[in-house]
Amino acid sequence: MARVVVTRRLPAGGLDPLLDAGHEVITNDEDRVFDPAALAKAGRDADAILCLLTDRIDAPVLEAGATGGRLRVVANVAVGYDNVDVATAARLGIAVTNTPGVLTETTADTTWLLILAARRLATDAEADLRSGRWRGWGFEDHLSLDVHGTRLGLVGYGRIGRAVARRAVAFGMEIVHHTRHDTGEPGWTADLDELLATSDVVSLHVPLTDATRHLIDRDRIARLRDSATLVNTTRGPVVDEEALADALHAGRLFSAGLDVFEREPVVHPRLLSAPRAVLLPHIGSATIGTRTAMARLAATNAAAVLAGERPPDLVTP
Ligand code: GLV
């Protein structure tokens, strides 16, 4: 029997793969975010950690697990794993796993929620109604821009980007995608700057890595059409948030839909005050079904490592 520390509260049933295998599972029923000391203690005391993107699993945590303890696996309950120092884990022989696949469709739905809301300015219109500013139907009130028949530029074309593209077909959109390596599929372009300059809706689907931090920087934001909408459901630091806020304030792009931010839960004040910005609190995968599936998959990955097997979603080389 191994000891598993779960850093946040997870949906009912999510931990069954570990409980069924007879492991001791220590849960965080208060859902308090672990500070670095609590994470290092978890590393020292546990064979496995199930963590979330709010936990920084960096070298001190992993070293505490490897030298002071018996940590064998860090199972991130997320598809993105930029919160885990994978290189150090690999060096110390600690497996890292993630939860791809199970959140693809839900995150694509959230992306579409943002595409539609940010193109049609739904939240601004709703705010007018709620505040009593709405004085009745006006022919030229709340004018926005279409989604159907426009050009969608996808930056990154993995599972989620492709799921967003499938939905775009029903909206009659022209779809292009940029990845570093040729996908060999229709719509691929090597030229990110050209995609940015020619798309009506740009949606980001690259993981956060050293190469993609501020990929959408001030210069690239300046390339967007003044009628463009930028949507980000991946990780906040892929976009220079301040530059985006400046562009929105200056009217240099039409709108933005953001589910992720550079310093969550802090949102740049200029973004909060920016016009035509739809801002969601990182709810990309937040449905009951998907969050339960993510927890179960992370638990399955951890249980596999503890059983001496190769886990389904190993990200350490
Ligand atoms: C959520 O942001 C995830 O990476 O799963």
Side-chain angles (χ1 to χ4, degrees):
M1 183 179 82
R3 179 181 296 159
V4 183
V5 172
V6 184
T7 62
R8 299 289 298 268
R9 192 168 53 221
L10 296 180
L15 296 169
D16 287 355
L18 288 162
L19 296 168
D20 293 348
H23 297 303
E24 178 194 4
V25 179
I26 300 168
T27 55
N28 174 4
D29 296 328
E30 289 163 36
D31 202 32
R32 232 181 335 93
V33 178
F34 281 25
D35 62 17
L39 286 173
K41 182 176 182 316
R44 263 193 315 277
D45 293 349
D47 303 271
I49 300 179
L50 250 70
C51 59
L52 283 97
L53 55 89
T54 44
D55 303 309
R56 287 231 70 83
I57 308 296
D58 49 17
V61 177
L62 296 162
E63 272 152 15
T67 52
R70 49 176 201 265
L71 184 63
R72 289 162 65 192
V73 53
V74 172
N76 209 36
V77 193
V79 66
Y81 48 86
D82 49 281
N83 57 310
V84 183
D85 181 347
V86 174
T88 299
R91 180 171 55 77
L92 296 171
I94 298 168
V96 178
T97 64
N98 70 338
T99 61
V102 290
L103 49 70
T104 301
E105 301 300 329
T106 300
T107 308
D109 288 349
T110 306
T111 305
W112 267 90
L113 168 70
L114 284 170
I115 293 173
L116 289 166
R119 278 312 262 183
R120 301 302 311 277
L121 305 179
T123 53
D124 287 352
E126 192 199 22
D128 279 354
L129 180 149
R130 286 184 184 277
S131 69
R133 282 192 297 268
W134 187 38
R135 292 279 167 247
W137 192 81
F139 199 69
E140 292 201 315
D141 290 348
H142 299 126
L143 296 184
S144 59
L145 292 177
D146 278 317
V147 174
H148 71 270
T150 64
R151 181 174 164 101
L152 172 65
L154 298 164
V155 181
Y157 202 54
R159 293 180 188 81
I160 298 170
R162 285 163 196 264
V164 170
R166 284 197 297 278
R167 288 154 175 76
V169 173
F171 281 80
M173 295 178 94
E174 184 192 344
I175 306 161
V176 290
H177 63 271
H178 165 76
T179 52
R180 276 184 301 181
H181 304 293
D182 190 349
T183 58
E185 292 175 51
W188 177 76
T189 172
D191 191 343
L192 172 59
D193 290 345
E194 201 234 13
L195 176 147
L196 296 174
T198 57
S199 297
D200 299 294
V201 177
V202 173
S203 189
L204 307 178
H205 299 286
V206 287
L208 175 61
T209 63
D210 289 341
T212 63
R213 192 173 297 276
H214 278 199
L215 178 70
I216 308 300
D217 59 8
R218 198 169 282 276
D219 287 350
R220 291 213 163 104
I221 289 169
R223 289 179 196 278
L224 293 168
R225 291 177 166 176
D226 56 11
S227 59
T229 296
L230 179 69
V231 172
N232 188 7
T233 52
T234 176
R235 286 290 183 269
V238 173
V239 176
D240 179 340
E241 210 164 75
E242 186 166 71
L244 176 61
D246 289 346
L248 285 164
H249 279 281
R252 278 188 269 104
L253 78 160
F254 180 65
S255 62
L258 307 176
D259 186 46
V260 289
F261 302 91
E262 280 196 75
R263 283 170 292 277
E264 295 175 11
V266 176
V267 179
H268 197 295
R270 283 186 48 77
L271 260 187
L272 286 173
S273 65
R276 302 176 312 283
V278 180
L279 310 176
L280 296 178
H282 204 151
I283 61 166
S285 62
T287 65
I288 296 164
T290 291
R291 286 283 164 86
T292 305
M294 289 166 69
R296 287 186 74 91
L297 184 52
T300 301
N301 278 309
V305 176
L306 295 174
E309 294 159 10
R310 187 185 168 85
D313 306 298
L314 187 65
V315 296
T316 26

